[in-house]
């Protein structure tokens, strides 16, 4: 918001001098285009996303001031592994990193933060439906269903009339046969584990137990999608349609563990999982919530870098570099448009200036030194956010992702343009200054108050 205020604020003198808003807007648009171009081609440096050390160093700079600073290596490692796990990069140019849907954070109170880990598979808060079912299976064959393993009830209310007592038995037998057919369809594929989003009746449990199959019911849709991406296979909507290719076979271990009073199902040691679960441990819920927020920040940084592997120097360096370059370029612009163009370049300096003010140093002197550095040395000089000294961000190790920085710049300048397009604000309320002026002239008479009803 400080960028928007600065960019809108520097336009005010031109409006006072009756320069038309469209002239200012044209200059701003040109400056934005040049700034984004300069940022990518002159200031940004490319990153090798396969270099783990370099990636962790980048993610660390996003956690430097947060609660997880003490567990930097652990958090950065988890964030990077999670993003790499859910990264889908087709040869056709399609790229997707959906951390919200496929990198689930599961918070389990108890234990210490050091016990947090990323699983090579998924976990969810469920137990088997029958106590006699196996709770640990190696290399399981997994069937995923989206249908009830119980007798279907009619969509509308149904009444039945029985003429003989044997008819009622026939109905019960039909229900039993229907469930047996469903279970036989499943058992034919010889799975070790059945997961379903709906319910499993007692009779279905009995048939599955006899066949040595473990069953877990009422999984969330989102959990089921993660399981499908982790273990392979497909989610099936009717048991009659089950075929061998629908069975998930890429899971190395199914086991159920107990944390406190809760049972958790683990599907781990997956061969090539495209979904994962991050297991967070911590002393209390508040600690876990804070750890999750920090981890989300770290994962977003990793995702941004992997989608667009370019970085720009932090600590106000990129703004100072752009201000210097735009200032130089404004000298070649003809006509009145050069003044708003140059004013926008000056407005960008609000970021390094604010950093200097926060440290309590002499803003004018330090800003002059920073401008001189950018004129002579290079684009990586910025402000140390703790001491206020001018440092080389290459050595200092503070970097921002190009994607975020260019988005910030676009948002700030485009919002300023949006405000400049507003000629005047029509308001139904009188300005306080007008009311005061009328009072002074004796014109303003307050409305008489109506007597209160008894």
């Amino acid at each position: 918001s400080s960028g928007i205020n600065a960019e809108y604020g520097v336009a005010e003198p031109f409006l006072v001098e009756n320069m038309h808003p469209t002239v200012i807007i044209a200059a701003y648009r040109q400056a934005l285009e040049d700034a984004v171009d300069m940022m990518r081609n002159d200031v940004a440096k490319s990153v090798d996303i396969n270099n783990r050390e370099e990636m962790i160093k980048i993610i660390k700079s996003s956690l430097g001031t947060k609660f997880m600073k003490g567990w930097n290596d652990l958090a950065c490692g988890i964030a990077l592994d999670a993003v790499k796990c859910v990264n889908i990069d087709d040869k056709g140019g399609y790229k997707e990193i959906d951390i919200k849907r496929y990198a689930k954070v599961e918070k389990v109170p108890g234990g210490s933060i050091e016990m947090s880990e990323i699983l090579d598979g998924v976990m969810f808060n469920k137990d088997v439906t029958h106590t006699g079912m196996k709770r640990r299976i190696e290399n399981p064959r997994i069937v995923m269903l989206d249908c009830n393993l119980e007798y279907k009830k009619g969509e509308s209310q149904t009444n039945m009339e029985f003429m003989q007592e044997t008819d009622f038995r026939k109905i019960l037998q039909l229900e039993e046969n229907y469930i047996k057919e469903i279970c036989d369809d499943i058992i034919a594929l010889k799975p070790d584990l059945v997961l379903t989003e709906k319910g499993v009746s007692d009779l279905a449990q009995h048939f599955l137990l006899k066949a040595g199959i473990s069953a877990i019911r009422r999984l969330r849709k989102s959990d089921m999608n993660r399981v499908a991406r982790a273990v392979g296979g497909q989610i099936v909507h009717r048991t009659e349609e089950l075929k061998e290719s629908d069975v998930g076979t890429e899971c190395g271990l199914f086991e159920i563990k107990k944390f406190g009073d809760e049972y958790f199902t683990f599907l781990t040691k997956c061969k090539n999982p495209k979904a994962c679960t991050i297991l967070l441990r911590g002393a209390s819920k508040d600690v876990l919530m804070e750890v999750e927020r920090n981890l989300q920040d770290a994962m977003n940084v990793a995702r941004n870098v992997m989608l667009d592997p370019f970085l720009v120097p932090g600590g106000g360096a990129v703004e100072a570099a752009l201000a210097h370059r735009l200032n130089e370029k404004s000298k070649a612009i003809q006509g009145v448009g050069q003044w708003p163009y140059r004013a926008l370049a000056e407005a960008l300096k609000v970021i390094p200036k604010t950093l200097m003010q926060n440290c309590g140093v002499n803003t004018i002197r330090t800003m002059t030194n920073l401008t001189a550095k950018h004129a002579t040395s290079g684009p990586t000089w910025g402000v140390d956010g703790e001491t206020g000294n001018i440092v080389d961000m290459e050595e200092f190790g503070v970097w921002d992702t190009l994607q975020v920085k260019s988005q910030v710049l676009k948002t700030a300048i485009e919002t300023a343009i949006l405000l400049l397009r507003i000629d005047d604000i029509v308001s139904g309320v009188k300005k306080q200054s007008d009311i005061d002026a009328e009072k002074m002239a004796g014109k303003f008479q307050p409305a008489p108050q109506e007597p209160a009803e008894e």
Side-chain angles (χ1 to χ4, degrees), residues 336-440:
V336 289
Q338 65 174 295
W339 302 111
Y341 190 99
R342 194 171 296 171
L344 190 133
E346 284 301 311
L348 286 170
K349 292 181 182 175
V350 72
I351 304 292
K353 271 181 188 168
T354 308
L355 283 169
M356 291 166 194
Q357 283 168 355
N358 288 348
C359 301
V361 295
N362 186 324
T363 310
I364 297 168
R365 190 176 296 152
T366 317
M367 195 67 227
T368 309
N369 292 343
L370 182 63
T371 308
K373 278 279 185 195
H374 277 275
T376 54
S377 300
T380 56
W381 291 90
V383 183
D384 179 347
E386 289 176 357
T387 62
N389 296 332
I390 292 170
V391 289
D392 187 351
M393 290 296 155
E394 187 86 56
E395 293 168 18
F396 198 60
V398 175
W399 295 91
D400 285 321
T401 53
L402 173 67
Q403 203 179 37
V404 172
K405 267 291 177 219
S406 52
Q407 188 59 47
V408 166
L409 203 61
K410 286 173 191 171
T411 307
I413 296 175
E414 282 171 6
T415 309
I417 288 171
L418 186 78
L419 295 174
L420 283 167
R421 285 191 183 282
I422 300 167
D423 296 323
D424 212 337
I425 296 166
V426 178
S427 173
V429 183
K430 272 193 172 182
K431 286 183 185 173
Q432 189 62 43
S433 56
D434 293 348
I435 293 171
D436 292 342
E438 283 180 7
K439 269 186 185 174
M440 293 289 286

Side-chain angles (χ1 to χ4, degrees), residues 146-159:
D146 179 20
C147 56
N148 282 310
L149 297 186
E150 51 196 8
Y151 191 70
K152 263 188 190 159
K153 294 175 179 66
E155 289 290 320
S156 52
Q157 198 171 342
T158 316
N159 292 323

Side-chain angles (χ1 to χ4, degrees), residues 201-218:
S201 68
D202 292 346
L203 190 61
Q205 282 179 43
H206 164 74
F207 289 130
L208 294 173
L209 183 63
K210 268 175 68 178
I213 299 168
S214 298
I216 294 174
R217 65 182 165 195
R218 298 203 177 94

